[in-house]
Amino acid sequence: MDLLWFLSALSVFTLQERAGTGAMTLKSVLLRQLRPGGGASACSPAQHSRRRRSWVWNQFFVLEEFTGNDPLYVGKLHSDVDKGDGQVRYVLTGEGAASIFSIDESTGDIHATRRLDREQQAYYTLRAQARNRDTNRLVEPESQFIIKVQDVNDNEPKFLDGPYTARVAERSPVGTSVVTVVATDADDPTYGNSARLMYSILQGQPYFSVEPKTGVVRTALPDLDREVRDSHLLVVQAKDMIGQIGGLSGSTSVTVILTDVNDNPPHFPRRSYQFSVRESELVSTVVAKIRAVDPDEGPNAELDYRILDGDGLGIFSITTDSHTQEGLITLHKNLDFETKSSYMLRVEASNLYVDARFLSSGPFSDVATVRLLVQNVDEPPVFHSSVSWMMVSEAAAVGTEVGSVLARDPDATNSPIRYSIDRQSNLERYFHIDSGTGVITTAQPLDRETVAVHNITVVATERLDPSLTGKAVVLISVTDVNDNPPSLAIDYDTFVCENSEPGQIVQTLSAVDRDEPEEGQHFLFSLSEAGQNLSFTLRDNKDNTASILTRPGGFLQRDQLLHLLPVVISDSSRPPLSSTNTLSITVCTCDAAGEPRSCRQGAPLLLLVSLQSAVTAAVLTCILTLLGVVVVTAAIRRRRRDPLTVVAERCVQENIVCYDDEGGGEEDTEAFDMLALRHLNTTGQSHQTQARTLTSTSEPTSEGNWLFLPFIRERLQQADLDSAAPPFDSLQTYAFEGSGSSAASLSSLNSLDSFNSQECQQNYDLLKEWGPRFRKLADLYGHPKCLFSLCW
């Protein structure tokens, strides 16, 4: 720029210590603004000069944790405008104004009214104003200043991350770093030594040390042994004031855990071991356990066992249990006390992982001797072979020897053996075994076509101890003989067209045979001489098939519908077997392509008749079922429509009673099961006609009742012969007195005209005095109307 109208104002500070207070004042002088080039301004001083600032002030300090009774003097604010006449009033605002700091309005003296803590707040920012007391106008621009809290050593060091836990490998060299502890001091690190720390170990020597300035904990001894002591507890102290007397201190604990290294070889607590093993132990069974001791832990204590030598190398094996680090001796082959009663093994235990730093101290392995004693056990019989294969012809006679089995007692006692066949494997009892020799014979005729292979279980039992048994499987294969003739493979449904040409193949036949000769099946086909057919001929194709061909002459349904052709099939065995099979050939009307068009009378006659019979039976069954449903439905509907006749008819159960005297009621009656006569009153006959019909067989009967007479006579005869027959609830009919009654009539019931007589108006109350047997009769005759029958 060519021209600068103003220069920046430069303040010249003069520090002036106020005696006895430590407060500082600031005097500022505004220099005259010069024009560029050093010349004076052309403008007058009144126009181009600005009012100089007349504050006298500085940054103030106040000591923390002051405990005096009076307010602590901080400093003084003063303006050059203040002439001391009391016209200037000082005002303090900002952080802590009026609550922590106070100011004298007249003098500008600032005091702290309470104790300050630098760790809570290190400085305060305030603003000062000088105002005219009368007009309250600013006489100086508002200014900002800071009151800084001076630190004192009032905070001890603290380990914020403690207590500590660290790990270091055993046998570590001296000076190996373990952990770094860090303490913090809340005092001001930039002022004095209040926050300058020094570390030391109060507990944990001589095993560990700590660097005074950094707090790094290190090993101090070279042979820290985890197996002797696996952890150490240290106490580390931090002290401020560089450890000088009067400084504050804090401490923390450090737990140092020694980690394992493989510095110890395994060893057996004993030089030799002895175990007993039963000879009946199964293969793969653990028979003994040994363990070498290794004071190390984790992977450093993992062991590997192996058999170095001995006489049981092929009999036993050894493995390591990964959980317990034991050596598991396992049986590899079956034991036999009678053959060998003891075994000796040399077993080695070694570490899987070896630290090369410690190999110089010796091998990391140990050897022990293991002796295994075999215990004798009474064993069950043992067969020479657990599975035997035998063969027998299906034509073998009963009692034919098939083969034999042999078992022995493996014990020294050599107990005799008894043989038998397991019942479940020989349910049909085809075979028998000699209990003493083990010879197996046939017990029933065999049929290879039914069972080709028999699987039986033979049991061997010690005679001295029947609880000891052994088993073996015997497979008996039944060999084939030619005992089944061949036959047609299927039931052929053959037809021939009326317009067939001579030599036309009508059917190709094949055969089957249940036998299975070793050289395979070879069948011969021919027509039976007794049944030679002039219409067909047979040609053996020499490949186990035969063809039926037509002869000249043609076929007509009207002449012969069905041709029966006897075919003889023979096998090639020695001696050969043959069978005659009838082939049915139906004559059909065919189209030009030779497809049957009309075989209405074709199909085998018997099959057609059977089919027609089955269809007819099915149709008749359906018709009868429908008729039964219709009859039952009609009967139910009719029964619902039938009106009730007389009161007596509702009381009919299954009996009709005939009186032949006037005696004492039910005891003089004869009861008959006559359910079929329940609706007899609906025929429209008079009561006298009914009475005659029921009591006399010589009188003429109506057309609807003559069917019941034999039944009634039979029941009457049975009742007459049974004098102890008890009475039943029955229908009692008083419309007649019965035939041949020698007693006089009890009333006028014998007359049908009694309805018009005056007997209905007679008094029959005297019947009530005759006892309970006549109570019903008395009640009935006491009714205003006379009835012919009553329900008793």
Side-chain angles (χ1 to χ4, degrees):
M1 296 176 62
D2 295 335
L3 180 64
L4 294 176
W5 292 99
F6 299 99
L7 294 176
S8 299
L10 300 178
S11 297
V12 178
F13 299 97
T14 302
L15 295 179
Q16 180 179 13
E17 183 177 0
R18 185 164 182 152
T21 65
M24 307 297 292
T25 61
L26 172 65
K27 293 183 179 180
S28 60
V29 178
L30 184 64
L31 299 179
R32 180 182 299 272
Q33 297 177 353
L34 301 177
R35 292 182 60 87
S41 175
C43 300
S44 63
Q47 293 176 344
H48 299 285
S49 64
R50 65 177 183 178
R51 188 174 183 181
R52 71 179 179 85
R53 186 179 179 207
S54 299
W55 276 103
V56 179
W57 68 292
N58 196 4
Q59 184 179 34
F60 300 110
F61 296 89
V62 60
L63 194 64
E64 69 169 333
E65 304 295 344
F66 179 74
T67 58
N69 296 326
D70 298 330
L72 178 64
Y73 180 76
V74 178
K76 183 181 181 66
L77 296 179
H78 184 71
S79 174
D80 293 344
V81 179
D82 187 2
K83 303 302 183 181
D85 55 1
Q87 290 298 316
V88 177
R89 180 173 64 89
Y90 296 96
V91 179
L92 187 65
T93 60
E95 293 179 331
S99 60
I100 299 177
F101 303 101
S102 64
I103 188 170
D104 190 320
E105 292 184 352
S106 300
T107 63
D109 294 333
I110 301 174
H111 292 81
T113 60
R114 66 181 187 183
R115 185 173 61 181
L116 301 178
D117 187 358
R118 190 201 67 83
E119 286 71 39
Q120 292 184 358
Q121 188 164 347
Y123 61 90
Y124 296 86
T125 302
L126 295 98
R127 293 181 298 277
Q129 297 177 355
R131 293 179 178 273
N132 186 286
R133 189 179 295 276
D134 295 332
T135 63
N136 199 31
R137 291 182 177 179
L138 290 172
V139 297
E140 291 284 352
E142 183 180 72
S143 297
Q144 179 175 299
F145 65 96
I146 295 174
I147 297 178
K148 187 173 182 180
V149 182
Q150 260 185 335
D151 183 55
V152 297
N153 189 17
D154 59 343
N155 292 279
E156 72 277 3
K158 294 182 180 180
F159 292 89
L160 301 181
D161 297 330
Y164 295 84
T165 300
R167 296 177 180 272
V168 65
E170 63 174 334
R171 310 286 184 180
S172 295
V174 175
T176 301
S177 175
V178 179
V179 67
T180 299
V181 296
V182 178
T184 58
D185 195 321
D187 293 325
D188 190 355
T190 63
Y191 178 76
N193 297 325
S194 298
R196 298 181 64 184
L197 305 180
M198 184 72 71
Y199 296 95
S200 62
I201 286 186
L202 301 181
Q203 177 181 326
Q205 295 174 337
Y207 305 102
F208 298 92
S209 63
V210 64
E211 292 184 357
K213 293 183 179 181
T214 61
V216 177
V217 179
R218 299 181 183 276
T219 58
L221 292 179
D223 295 324
L224 296 176
D225 192 354
R226 186 199 66 84
E227 287 74 33
V228 176
R229 185 177 177 180
D230 60 357
S231 65
H232 296 264
L233 180 62
L234 283 63
V235 178
V236 179
Q237 182 190 66
K239 190 174 183 180
D240 59 14
M241 300 298 291
I242 321 179
Q244 297 176 3
I245 299 175
L248 302 179
S249 64
S251 61
T252 186
S253 64
V254 180
T255 301
V256 179
I257 300 174
L258 297 181
T259 58
D260 185 65
V261 297
N262 192 8
D263 58 342
N264 295 280
H267 70 279
F268 287 102
R270 297 163 55 183
R271 292 293 91 192
S272 64
Y273 297 86
Q274 181 172 303
F275 300 95
S276 296
V277 184
R278 293 167 57 90
E279 66 171 336
S280 60
E281 292 290 353
L282 300 177
V283 173
S284 301
T285 301
V286 176
V287 296
K289 296 180 181 180
I290 60 174
R291 182 178 180 182
V293 178
D294 190 333
D296 296 323
E297 65 178 6
N300 297 322
E302 293 182 1
L303 302 177
D304 179 37
Y305 296 89
R306 66 191 183 99
I307 299 176
L308 297 179
D309 52 43
D311 56 2
L313 283 175
I315 308 299
F316 301 95
S317 62
I318 189 169
T319 57
T320 303
D321 189 327
S322 59
H323 298 288
T324 63
Q325 296 303 313
E326 291 178 313
L328 307 180
I329 300 177
T330 305
L331 183 63
H332 192 63
K333 292 183 179 180
N334 291 322
L335 300 176
D336 187 5
F337 173 81
E338 288 72 24
T339 303
K340 189 174 181 59
S341 60
S342 67
Y343 296 89
M344 189 72 70
L345 303 172
R346 259 190 359 117
V347 179
E348 179 191 59
S350 59
N351 282 131
L352 281 176
Y353 310 101
V354 179
D355 195 331
R357 294 177 299 171
F358 307 103
L359 285 176
S360 58
S361 60
F364 279 73
S365 63
D366 196 12
V367 178
T369 301
V370 180
R371 186 181 183 188
L372 298 167
L373 302 179
V374 181
Q375 290 182 338
N376 187 25
V377 176
D378 195 3
E379 300 174 272
V382 177
F383 284 88
H384 283 183
S385 177
S386 60
V387 179
S388 301
W389 189 279
M390 302 177 184
M391 300 181 67
V392 62
S393 172
E394 66 174 327
V398 174
T400 301
E401 181 177 337
V402 180
S404 64
V405 294
L406 181 62
R408 65 177 181 85
D409 182 7
D411 299 316
T413 57
N414 195 17
S415 173
I417 303 300
R418 180 173 59 85
Y419 300 95
S420 62
I421 297 178
D422 189 348
R423 182 73 178 86
Q424 296 299 321
S425 65
N426 190 32
L427 293 176
E428 293 81 6
R429 299 188 179 183
Y430 283 112
F431 301 96
H432 171 74
I433 188 170
D434 189 284
S435 62
T437 62
V439 174
I440 301 174
T441 57
T442 59
Q444 289 188 23
L446 304 177
D447 185 6
R448 188 202 64 84
E449 288 71 35
T450 303
V451 181
V453 177
H454 295 266
N455 185 344
I456 64 174
T457 301
V458 178
V459 181
T461 306
E462 289 189 13
R463 294 184 183 272
L464 299 180
D465 187 358
S467 63
L468 297 176
T469 61
K471 293 184 178 181
V473 175
V474 178
L475 300 176
I476 301 176
S477 178
V478 182
T479 59
D480 185 45
V481 296
N482 189 26
D483 58 346
N484 292 280
S487 62
L488 290 176
I490 60 174
D491 292 333
Y492 292 95
D493 185 9
T494 306
F495 71 94
V496 62
C497 297
E498 287 185 324
N499 56 353
S500 295
E501 298 292 335
Q504 181 177 346
I505 297 177
V506 176
Q507 183 70 60
T508 299
L509 307 178
S510 61
V512 293
D513 193 334
R514 297 179 62 191
D515 297 320
E516 292 182 1
E518 295 181 358
E519 64 278 3
Q521 298 285 3
H522 299 283
F523 300 119
L524 301 176
F525 297 86
S526 63
L527 291 178
S528 174
E529 296 179 359
Q532 289 293 333
N533 194 295
L534 301 178
S535 301
F536 300 95
T537 184
L538 183 143
R539 182 183 66 196
D540 194 335
N541 298 323
K542 307 302 181 181
D543 59 355
N544 290 339
T545 64
S547 300
I548 304 299
L549 296 86
T550 59
R551 286 184 173 181
F555 305 91
L556 292 176
Q557 284 186 353
R558 64 175 180 270
D559 294 339
Q560 187 173 353
L561 174 65
L562 186 66
H563 294 266
L564 299 178
L565 192 66
V567 179
V568 179
I569 307 175
S570 303
D571 57 26
S572 58
S573 300
R574 295 290 182 270
L577 295 179
S578 63
S579 66
T580 301
N581 303 263
T582 301
L583 178 66
S584 300
I585 304 176
T586 305
V587 179
C588 298
T589 301
C590 302
D591 54 16
E595 295 296 330
R597 184 175 57 188
S598 174
C599 292
R600 59 183 179 277
Q601 297 177 357
L605 183 60
L606 296 178
L607 179 62
L608 181 60
V609 172
S610 300
L611 181 60
Q612 291 176 350
S613 300
V615 173
T616 303
V619 172
L620 290 176
T621 301
C622 294
I623 294 174
L624 291 176
T625 302
L626 293 175
L627 287 176
V629 173
V630 171
V631 169
V632 172
T633 305
I636 294 174
R637 291 181 177 178
R638 180 179 179 183
R639 183 172 180 179
R640 291 179 179 176
R641 291 195 300 265
D642 287 345
L644 298 177
T645 54
V646 295
V647 177
E649 188 177 356
R650 290 200 301 264
C651 300
V652 174
Q653 302 292 327
E654 294 182 355
N655 304 311
I656 181 168
V657 178
C658 178
Y659 274 93
D660 60 356
D661 55 47
E662 300 294 335
E666 289 183 352
E667 291 183 354
D668 299 313
T669 63
E670 294 177 350
F672 308 96
D673 188 5
M674 295 299 293
L675 180 61
L677 300 179
R678 178 173 294 176
H679 300 290
L680 190 60
N681 292 335
T682 60
T683 59
Q685 300 176 356
S686 65
H687 292 281
Q688 291 180 345
T689 304
Q690 293 179 21
R692 288 193 299 270
T693 303
L694 294 174
T695 58
S696 176
T697 60
S698 60
E699 297 179 4
T701 60
S702 64
E703 183 180 357
N705 296 333
W706 69 271
L707 294 174
F708 299 103
L709 292 180
F711 177 75
I712 294 173
R713 284 195 298 269
E714 181 181 355
R715 290 295 185 265
L716 284 173
Q717 185 178 1
Q718 292 178 0
D720 289 340
L721 296 176
D722 188 3
S723 60
F728 297 91
D729 293 340
S730 58
L731 174 65
Q732 308 292 339
T733 304
Y734 288 91
F736 55 90
E737 295 297 331
S739 60
S741 177
S742 58
S745 178
L746 178 64
S747 65
S748 58
L749 295 177
N750 195 33
S751 175
L752 293 177
D753 296 333
S754 59
F755 282 101
N756 301 323
S757 67
Q758 297 297 324
E759 291 179 1
C760 290
Q761 284 77 27
Q762 293 178 5
N763 185 3
Y764 294 98
D765 293 338
L766 58 92
L767 294 177
K768 296 181 180 180
E769 300 176 1
W770 291 5
R773 296 182 179 179
F774 295 91
R775 185 172 301 159
K776 286 286 185 179
L777 191 59
D779 293 339
L780 179 64
Y781 277 82
H783 198 273
K785 292 183 180 180
C786 294
L787 298 178
F788 283 55
S789 61
L790 68 149
C791 195
W792 210 324

